[in-house]
Amino acid sequence: MPSTQLMNIDGVTSVFYGADFITVTKAADANWAHIRPEVFALITEAITSGQTIVNVAERKEGGGEGESGQGVEERDSLEYDENDSEVVGMIKELLETRVRPAIQEDGGDIEFKGFEDGYVMLKLRGACRTCDSSTVTLKNGIEGMLMHYIEEVKGVHQVLDQEEEIALKEFAKFEEKLKAQKGEVPASTVGKGSLDTVE
């Protein structure tokens, strides 16, 4: 089942395939009650018909050194690489054995993007990428564990796509506008314990 079929459903914004799961993300204004039946129908039809869910392209040995590095990104970023330093090897092993299973259980995945000046560069994918708790997951969970087991790790930085960076900047601008207007907005409820009371 090509992801294009799922992406053609009104309200679906992204589709992420894992080894044993599919994560479908909807637009904020879309209602799951309207989207769910069509998503389930497409997935069920693909499974019962024996249709290939994901086409995996096989790489030839020595591949990945082709034109403009094609095939390099297809490789699992947590896969062992003989060129990795001992520290990077330990980081990848912890991410693969301790972190990835928990993140995949929540419909996401993690990519190792590098280790620079003591900081591990990671990219969250799938449901974890858009989850409100992603920063907490990175800082409190992953960063804490890596720093505990590997003394060379000083912290973790999340790597964002260009679109995600633009979205965050626009959201920050929107928040600033709301803060500027906050004094002008009349309170919707009055009294102690109301939504507009800050203690």
Side-chain angles (χ1 to χ4, degrees), residues 6 14-18 21-25 104 106-108 125-128:
L6 287 171
S14 72
V15 178
F16 177 72
Y17 294 98
F21 64 89
I22 300 171
T23 300
V24 177
T25 306
Q104 287 179 335
D106 287 335
R125 297 178 56 211
C128 292

Side-chain angles (χ1 to χ4, degrees), residues 83-144:
N83 297 323
D84 287 342
S85 69
E86 184 178 345
V87 172
V88 168
M90 290 189 298
I91 291 169
K92 285 182 173 183
E93 183 176 349
L94 272 175
L95 292 173
E96 178 69 36
T97 59
R98 300 266 182 118
V99 176
R100 180 176 263 174
I103 289 178
Q104 287 179 335
E105 195 171 286
D106 287 335
D109 203 358
I110 191 164
E111 283 183 50
F112 175 79
K113 292 295 197 177
F115 180 64
E116 301 169 11
D117 301 322
Y119 290 91
V120 180
M121 313 303 251
L122 299 174
K123 177 169 178 50
L124 294 174
R125 297 178 56 211
C128 292
R129 177 181 55 91
T130 56
C131 174
D132 294 337
S133 303
S134 64
T135 303
V136 174
T137 299
L138 274 174
K139 289 294 178 185
N140 294 351
I142 300 169
E143 181 178 83

Side-chain angles (χ1 to χ4, degrees), residues 37-50:
E38 197 170 351
V39 168
F40 282 158
L42 281 172
I43 293 171
T44 303
E45 181 183 329
I47 291 170
T48 56
S49 70

Side-chain angles (χ1 to χ4, degrees), residues 125-164:
R125 297 178 56 211
C128 292
R129 177 181 55 91
T130 56
C131 174
D132 294 337
S133 303
S134 64
T135 303
V136 174
T137 299
L138 274 174
K139 289 294 178 185
N140 294 351
I142 300 169
E143 181 178 83
M145 183 181 53
L146 289 174
M147 289 173 65
H148 175 78
Y149 287 107
I150 305 169
E151 65 184 39
E152 291 87 351
V153 174
K154 297 177 187 173
V156 172
H157 291 308
Q158 183 172 2
V159 176
L160 301 174
D161 290 335
Q162 184 178 3
E163 297 87 21
E164 293 169 324

